[in-house]
């Protein structure tokens, strides 16, 4: 008898591909229409550019902020609900029996499910990103033209006009913006892996969603909380809460580590090394939660 | 598999306890069951609902971990993934992904077993024909009837040509014609040397196909043995005759009594309702053609 490998790329891709089609056929992509409406609506927020470059930048910031907010929300909701639905459904429908009684290690199954959700979120995010960049670019070019027109009438030199245009474009579609989108994807992946972990021991989809949301919220505020208690301590007020935040940081993800959109929205450049670090942190978190899921799932009675 | 023949299935003192809501006591679903199935044998496990048949099978497939005891498939511990290479399993009331067609479902399971390409495509064609789903192969399973799902389940279990088939209530919810087909299929598999382990609470069907039978009650194996051993009544002999008149019957009775025996019963043998139904169904089928 030949040995079955522990992790097989083919098997994982079969399960991932299957999960992806399953989700697509559940028609989850309809939500993209809602996204399109939000991005289009953000276009019409305060169109008065009134000359000043600062106001132009402010406008673009609002638009980018809305775009990233929508992308964040949608990718997280998609990752969370898809993952929270899949595993309980497989157990309830007993489709899991027919999969696990084939020579499929349980770890392969979990990784396959997770990657299927990740593929889905990636495709959704690519579409959203494309749409967002397209509209943002149209807006930026319109502003550049408007400014150029204005400055020419004011009799400014070509160099001044050019530098203004560059300043505006800096706030538009850039590589740093794409790095921000990658960070959004990473967050969604971490959320999906948390939902996967919770769903290995939870008994219902709704429980999985609630617990995951709580974990994500703790992950979002834990950095602030730690900073706050550290500050308190430096003021001479030691509190047991500081110790607790240390423990929390061991168990819960620190989403602040993955947040680079704030800078991106302000038009800051994202360096390769920062993007690398953020990606590493995201993948590491997802890997840790997947291994933990496997620990629970390995011995689970079906 | 070199060396001496290992048993296809070997279960030794299997105990499976489930936590019960009743205080802290554990509920024993399977209580020290032992059984051995040689290669090529058809083994039937019978018992009422809730007697632990499915649990025994799940333990054999590593879906649940035994509380104590041991399950082996071709000599390999069930809890290891390797044990599942040569096993096909049809769960009780199988349920598949509704969004897939029969063809896609089989492809999915085949690829999980490491099959692909032309070999897989040919295997799928053969299986779909075997379970007669040709007309429905491109339809999504969401619209399948219970019996059709059961057949998809069978095809899925056989996808990698396993040496052992584990069938949990293979004929539950299937009409008599369908269950006759499944029975014939089991005969066919047996000829090919495949070991079959099935369970059912329908005694007739088990009687028809199985070499060996185990009777399980409340998680305990009550009796086990070859079918002929278990069902023959040693002191009785059956004679079946065609076209006999009363006079001959009287003579036969005389002969028997001379030999010191006693004629207990005579009359037309009853055909089972199942047989009658199948005969009619077959007739109607031929007329329709
Ligand atoms: N996951 C489970 N948790 C608790 N009890 C279970 C579980 N699965 C089965 N049982 C109990 O174990 C007993 C045997 O079940 P089962 O093996 O399905 O019986 P059968 O297949 O013979 O009808 C039943 O009384 C059932 O209630
Ligand atoms: Mg059962």
């Amino acid at each position: 008898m030949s040995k079955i490998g522990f992790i097989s790329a083919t098997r994982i891709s079969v399960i991932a591909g299957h999960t992806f089609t399953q989700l697509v056929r559940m028609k989850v992509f309809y939500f993209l229409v809602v996204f399109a409406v939000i991005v289009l609506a953000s276009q019409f927020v305060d169109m008065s550019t009134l000359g000043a470059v600062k106001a132009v930048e402010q406008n673009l910031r609002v638009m980018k902020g809305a775009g990233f907010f929508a992308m964040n929300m949608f990718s997280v909701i998609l990752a969370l609900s898809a993952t929270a639905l899949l595993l309980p459904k497989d157990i309830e429908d007993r489709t899991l029996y027919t999969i696990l009684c084939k020579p499929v290690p349980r770890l392969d199954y979990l990784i396959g499910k997770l990657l299927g959700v990740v593929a889905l979120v990636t495709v959704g995010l690519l579409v959203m990103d494309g749409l967002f960049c397209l509209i943002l670019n149209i807006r930026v070019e319109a502003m550049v033209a408007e400014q150029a027109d204005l400055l020419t009438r004011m009799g400014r030199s070509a160099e001044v006009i050019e530098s203004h245009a560059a300043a505006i474009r800096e706030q538009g579609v850039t590589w740093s913006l794409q790095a921000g989108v990658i960070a959004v994807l990473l967050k969604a992946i971490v959320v999906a892996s948390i939902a996967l972990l919770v769903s290995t021991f939870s008994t219902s989809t709704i429980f999985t969603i609630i617990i995951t949301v709580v974990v994500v919220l703790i992950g979002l505020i834990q950095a602030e909380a730690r900073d706050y208690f550290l500050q308190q301590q430096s003021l001479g007020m030691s509190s047991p809460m500081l110790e607790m935040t240390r423990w929390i940081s061991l168990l819960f993800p620190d989403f602040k580590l993955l947040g680079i959109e704030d800078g991106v929205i302000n038009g800051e450049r994202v360096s390769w090394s920062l993007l690398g670090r953020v990606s590493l942190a995201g993948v590491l978190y997802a890997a840790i939660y997947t291994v933990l899921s496997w620990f629970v799932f390995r011995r689970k009675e079906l | 598999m070199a060396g001496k023949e290992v048993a296809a299935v070997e279960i030794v003192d299997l105990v499976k306890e489930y936590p019960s809501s009743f205080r802290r006591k554990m509920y024993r679903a399977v209580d020290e069951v032992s059984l051995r199935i040689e290669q090529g044998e058809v083994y039937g496990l019978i018992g009422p609902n809730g007697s632990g048949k499915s649990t025994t099978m799940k333990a054999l497939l590593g879906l649940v971990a035994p509380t104590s005891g041991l399950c082996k498939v071709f000599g390999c511990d069930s809890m290891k993934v390797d044990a599942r290479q040569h096993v096909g399993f049809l769960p009780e009331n199988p349920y598949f992904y509704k969004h897939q067609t029969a063809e896609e479902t089989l492809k999915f399971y085949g690829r999980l077993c490491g099959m692909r390409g032309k070999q897989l495509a040919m295997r799928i064609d053969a299986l779909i024909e075997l379970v007669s789903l040709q007309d429905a192969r491109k339809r999504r399973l969401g619209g399948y009837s219970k019996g059709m799902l059961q057949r998809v389940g069978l095809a899925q279990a056989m996808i990698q040509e396993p040496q052992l088939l584990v069938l949990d209530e293979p004929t539950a919810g299937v009409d008599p014609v369908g269950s006759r087909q499944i029975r014939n299929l089991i005969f066919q598999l047996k000829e090919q040397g495949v070991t079959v382990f099935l369970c059912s609470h329908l005694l007739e069907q088990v009687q028809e196909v199985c070499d060996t039978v185990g009777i399980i009650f409340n998680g305990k194996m009550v009796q086990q043995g070859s079918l002929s051993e278990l069902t023959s009544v040693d002191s009785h002999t059956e004679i079946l005759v065609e076209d006999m008149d009363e006079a001959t019957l009287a003579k036969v009775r005389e002969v028997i009594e001379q030999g010191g025996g006693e004629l207990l019963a005579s009359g037309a043998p009853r055909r089972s309702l199942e047989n009658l139904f199948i005969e009619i169904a077959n007739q109607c089928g031929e007329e329709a053609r």
Side-chain angles (χ1 to χ4, degrees):
Chain A
M1 241 184 250
S2 58
K3 287 287 277 182
I4 297 285
F6 196 46
I7 286 183
S8 139
T10 348
R11 233 172 3 231
I12 291 174
S13 66
V14 171
I15 296 173
H18 173 262
T19 307
F20 181 78
T21 10
Q22 183 186 7
L23 287 167
V24 169
R25 289 188 186 172
M26 281 158 85
K27 306 206 166 58
V28 287
F29 277 136
Y30 279 139
F31 80 92
L32 287 174
V33 177
V34 183
F35 173 80
V37 171
I38 291 179
V39 173
L40 285 171
S42 74
Q43 261 249 75
F44 302 105
V45 178
D46 184 20
M47 289 295 279
S48 62
T49 44
L50 288 180
V53 173
K54 278 277 165 285
V56 171
E57 285 180 356
Q58 192 52 42
N59 255 329
L60 289 175
R61 264 188 218 128
V62 170
M63 198 178 157
K64 281 190 287 186
F68 269 106
F69 178 74
M71 279 195 265
N72 258 320
M73 286 309 282
F74 280 108
S75 54
V76 164
I77 290 173
L78 191 62
L80 171 59
S81 50
T83 319
L85 274 175
L86 287 175
L87 203 64
K89 196 165 157 48
D90 270 8
I91 294 175
E92 211 167 281
D93 294 351
R94 279 172 301 205
T95 39
L96 195 55
Y97 286 176
T98 46
I99 294 178
L100 293 184
C101 69
K102 299 284 178 216
V104 176
R106 294 189 177 194
L107 180 60
D108 285 20
Y109 170 80
L110 287 178
I111 296 176
K113 282 278 156 190
L114 186 63
L115 289 186
V117 173
V118 169
L120 182 89
V121 175
T122 308
V123 171
L125 209 49
L126 275 177
V127 174
M128 289 194 280
D129 186 26
L131 198 70
F132 175 56
C133 288
L134 183 74
I135 291 171
L136 184 62
N137 201 42
I138 292 172
R139 184 80 188 273
V140 164
E141 289 311 316
M143 282 174 170
V144 167
E146 199 181 349
Q147 287 289 312
D149 200 36
L150 202 72
L151 291 172
T152 326
R153 261 190 276 130
M154 284 163 75
R156 297 293 164 87
S157 69
E159 274 122 65
V160 175
I161 294 174
E162 199 45 51
S163 79
H164 271 227
I168 294 173
R169 288 202 177 103
E170 191 78 344
Q171 295 294 332
V173 181
T174 57
W175 285 113
S176 293
L177 194 77
Q178 304 309 312
V181 176
I182 292 177
V184 173
L185 176 64
L186 287 168
K187 257 184 260 179
I189 293 175
V190 174
V191 170
S193 64
I194 296 171
L196 186 71
L197 171 58
V198 178
S199 72
T200 52
F201 56 79
S202 101
T203 44
S204 75
T205 301
I206 199 79
F207 178 80
T208 307
I209 292 178
I210 291 170
I211 297 292
T212 309
V213 166
V214 169
V215 172
V216 170
L217 287 179
I218 291 175
L220 283 172
I221 59 166
Q222 66 153 307
E224 270 85 15
R226 199 170 43 237
D227 289 348
Y228 173 77
F229 290 119
L230 268 175
Q231 205 178 16
Q232 296 265 300
Q233 195 180 40
S234 68
L235 294 173
M237 289 179 277
S238 80
S239 116
M241 293 302 282
L242 184 65
E243 198 54 34
M244 212 173 102
T245 56
R246 286 219 180 90
W247 282 105
I248 284 175
S249 68
L250 286 179
L251 289 169
F252 296 85
D254 187 351
F255 279 101
K256 218 177 174 187
L257 288 178
L258 306 177
I260 53 180
E261 307 104 84
D262 287 349
V264 171
I265 291 168
N266 285 326
E268 286 163 21
R269 285 243 169 95
V270 176
S271 69
W272 282 108
S273 78
L274 176 63
L275 182 61
R277 275 205 307 278
V278 169
S279 306
L280 191 69
V283 171
L284 212 61
Y285 270 131
I288 290 170
Y289 289 119
T290 308
V291 170
L292 286 178
S293 314
W294 175 64
F295 249 76
V296 181
F297 193 59
R298 204 169 45 128
R299 292 259 138 202
K300 192 177 167 79
E301 307 265 289
L302 302 170
Chain B
M1 271 152 273
K4 72 175 187 10
E5 286 254 302
V6 286
V9 172
E10 199 181 351
I11 297 177
V12 184
D13 295 331
L14 174 70
V15 175
K16 178 67 206 173
E17 290 181 333
Y18 286 115
S20 67
S21 49
F22 203 55
R23 277 196 228 129
R24 302 195 121 201
K25 259 194 90 190
M26 299 291 275
Y27 176 79
R28 255 188 193 205
V30 177
D31 194 358
E32 303 207 348
V33 165
S34 297
L35 62 88
R36 187 181 160 95
I37 307 175
E38 301 300 335
Q39 292 189 25
E41 201 177 351
V42 177
Y43 187 103
L45 192 60
I46 51 181
N49 287 325
S51 54
K53 305 181 296 289
S54 300
T55 309
T56 308
M57 291 187 155
K58 281 189 226 162
L60 184 66
L61 287 149
L63 294 172
V64 298
T67 308
S68 73
L70 189 73
C71 299
K72 280 184 173 179
V73 177
F74 295 113
C76 184
D77 189 331
S78 291
M79 290 313 283
K80 297 215 176 82
V81 181
D82 300 295
R84 261 152 263 164
Q85 270 190 90
H86 303 283
V87 192
F89 177 48
L90 170 70
E92 193 173 14
N93 303 318
Y95 195 97
F96 302 97
Y97 294 103
K98 269 193 265 189
H99 68 276
Q100 285 185 317
T101 66
E103 217 173 74
E104 285 169 331
T105 304
L106 293 182
K107 193 168 172 192
F108 172 61
Y109 288 105
R111 290 178 64 198
L112 283 183
C113 295
M115 300 166 78
R116 61 186 138 107
K118 205 159 171 188
Q119 177 216 7
L120 178 58
M122 277 164 58
R123 181 73 186 146
I124 290 172
D125 286 344
L127 281 174
I128 283 188
E129 203 177 313
L130 190 67
V131 298
S132 28
L133 282 174
Q134 292 97 322
D135 301 332
R137 64 186 290 170
K138 298 226 186 278
R139 268 180 20 217
R140 291 202 182 170
L141 299 189
Y144 271 38
S145 71
K146 180 90 195 351
M148 287 162 94
L149 283 178
Q150 198 80 10
R151 281 186 270 164
V152 175
L154 261 174
Q156 161 276 128
M158 292 188 287
I159 190 85
Q160 85 277 35
E161 301 189 54
Q163 285 308 298
L164 169 66
L165 264 182
V166 180
L167 311 174
D168 194 345
E169 314 247 354
T171 54
V174 182
D175 60 56
V177 179
S179 81
R180 178 58 57 109
Q181 279 174 354
I182 291 174
R183 197 207 62 167
N184 290 341
L185 188 67
I186 294 172
F187 278 130
Q188 231 171 299
L189 289 166
K190 190 180 164 182
E191 262 164 42
Q192 292 165 17
V194 175
T195 314
V196 179
F197 178 23
L198 63 89
C199 78
S200 181
H201 58 268
L202 302 172
L203 309 182
E204 289 157 59
Q205 282 165 5
V206 172
Q207 184 158 10
E208 276 182 296
V209 293
C210 295
D211 305 317
T212 314
V213 174
I215 301 171
I216 189 170
F217 245 93
N218 285 333
K220 283 200 177 68
M221 188 67 91
V222 186
Q223 202 162 32
Q224 210 171 174
S226 79
L227 192 69
S228 48
E229 250 170 64
L230 289 180
T231 53
S232 69
V233 184
D234 294 341
S235 58
H236 293 186
T237 310
E238 261 180 359
I239 316 171
L240 195 64
V241 192
E242 197 171 285
D243 296 332
M244 184 162 72
D245 54 26
E246 283 299 318
T248 328
L249 183 64
K251 265 187 230 164
V252 169
R253 190 192 300 271
E254 220 169 279
V255 172
I256 289 171
E257 273 160 17
Q258 272 168 15
E262 189 191 354
L263 184 67
L264 289 177
S266 70
R270 297 230 180 126
R271 54 180 154 193
S272 68
L273 193 56
E274 194 192 335
N275 284 335
L276 180 66
F277 185 97
I278 286 161
E279 249 177 63
I280 294 170
N282 283 342
Q283 274 168 20
C284 294
E286 268 159 37
E287 275 161 29
R289 248 179 254 148

